[in-house]
Amino acid sequence: MIRSLDEMVEQVLLLKRLHRVAIAWAHDGNTASAITRAAIAGMVVPVMIGNPVIIKKTFASSGFNEQDLNIIEADDEVAASEKAVSMAANGEVDIVMKGLAGTDKFLRAVMNRDHGIMNHGAVLTYICAMELPAYHKLLFITDPAVIPFPDLDQKLAMVRYALQMTERFGIVKPKIALIGPAEKVSRHFPSSADYAVMCKMADRNQLGNCIMDGPLDIFLACDRNSVAVKKVPTPVNGEADILLFPSLEACNPFYKGLTLFARGEIAGILQGTIKPVVMMSRSESEKSKFYCLALACLMA
């Protein structure tokens, strides 16, 4: 079982496969540094899309040799996003990565009905693996980036995607905590009704090989001492592998707070696409962007 993001990188390197990556609007330093590190490690072959003058300057400061740069010119971030996505759709690259392009413009290209890279009938969502000094294993979190208020069908899709990802990490029977402010089903929290349905489906093995319970607060999901103190019987038992949140506005601050205040490192990608898509905030660190690339290679 992969227990850290560095172990994930080691597993990717053992595959000994170069993945071609198209970077939309490859103008920011953290993305350039992450791409350079991944290329030097032997994980990726980058294709930079954007303004050639800016790209050369950005990648020069990251240590990339100018003669090794593969640059495709694009007039703006919309054109860059569309080109990166079309290359993935045509099989020219294995992974798409957002550089300095705006998230809305980038997602519009990914989700384009005629020229995008969505799987037919799929739910677009986001899952990240987070490494925290205070937790004894990786924690998978969904959805901090895409779906504002997931309905039941979307939550079920999020579970299935999370299980596909944890399987690649060697987690045989992951524990899934359906997160809420308390452990009781309540009409005041509509998502808790969905949770009751999902737990019954999990009991009937309709969702795959997993253990699921909810609603649970973060303490019951991730702290065994709290389970003992609160005396709430739960099969997750404070050892969750996956946290599923009821809304983006609950999940996003949680995930960003852990990266800012708890030294959390993340690796995340979009789910529901025909090729892995790396989409991170422009403020994310070089290290996190590198881990996201490694995760995309693992899932490709």
Side-chain angles (χ1 to χ4, degrees), residues 92-149:
E92 299 173 67
V93 297
D94 307 298
I95 297 165
V96 177
M97 183 176 187
K98 183 176 85 71
L100 207 56
T103 299
D104 57 339
K105 299 176 179 68
F106 182 76
L107 279 179
R108 198 172 297 125
V110 170
M111 299 179 69
N112 185 284
R113 188 168 296 179
D114 298 317
H115 307 292
I117 50 173
M118 288 291 297
N119 279 312
H120 180 70
V123 171
L124 186 70
T125 186
Y126 189 93
I127 300 175
C128 66
M130 179 169 280
E131 183 175 335
L132 295 161
Y135 202 56
H136 62 289
K137 56 183 175 180
L138 292 173
L139 193 59
F140 295 80
I141 299 169
T142 186
D143 172 346
V146 180
I147 308 175
F149 294 97

Side-chain angles (χ1 to χ4, degrees), residues 5-16:
L5 296 181
D6 284 333
E7 286 183 15
M8 174 191 68
V9 172
E10 292 171 5
Q11 182 63 36
V12 170
L13 294 175
L14 288 174
L15 299 176
K16 298 186 182 300

Side-chain angles (χ1 to χ4, degrees), residues 20-43:
R20 287 178 60 81
V21 183
I23 307 101
W25 213 234
H27 293 179
D28 69 293
N30 282 346
T31 295
S33 296
I35 283 286
T36 301
R37 181 178 172 187
I40 292 172
M43 289 196 301

Side-chain angles (χ1 to χ4, degrees), residues 135-137 175 220-224 236-242:
Y135 202 56
H136 62 289
K137 56 183 175 180
K175 294 181 177 181
L220 292 173
C222 299
D223 181 38
R224 293 190 68 177
V236 171
N237 198 35
E239 294 187 334
D241 297 289
I242 299 166

Side-chain angles (χ1 to χ4, degrees), residues 258-276:
L258 290 178
T259 61
L260 181 61
F261 296 115
R263 295 184 289 119
E265 291 290 348
I266 63 169
I269 58 173
L270 290 176
Q271 296 285 283
T273 55
I274 62 174
K275 297 287 179 68

Side-chain angles (χ1 to χ4, degrees), residues 273-291:
T273 55
I274 62 174
K275 297 287 179 68
V277 177
V278 176
M279 186 188 77
M280 299 190 70
S281 169
R282 286 167 285 187
S283 63
E284 295 285 2
S285 69
E286 174 268 330
K287 191 173 186 180
S288 287
K289 291 190 176 188
F290 171 73
Y291 283 142

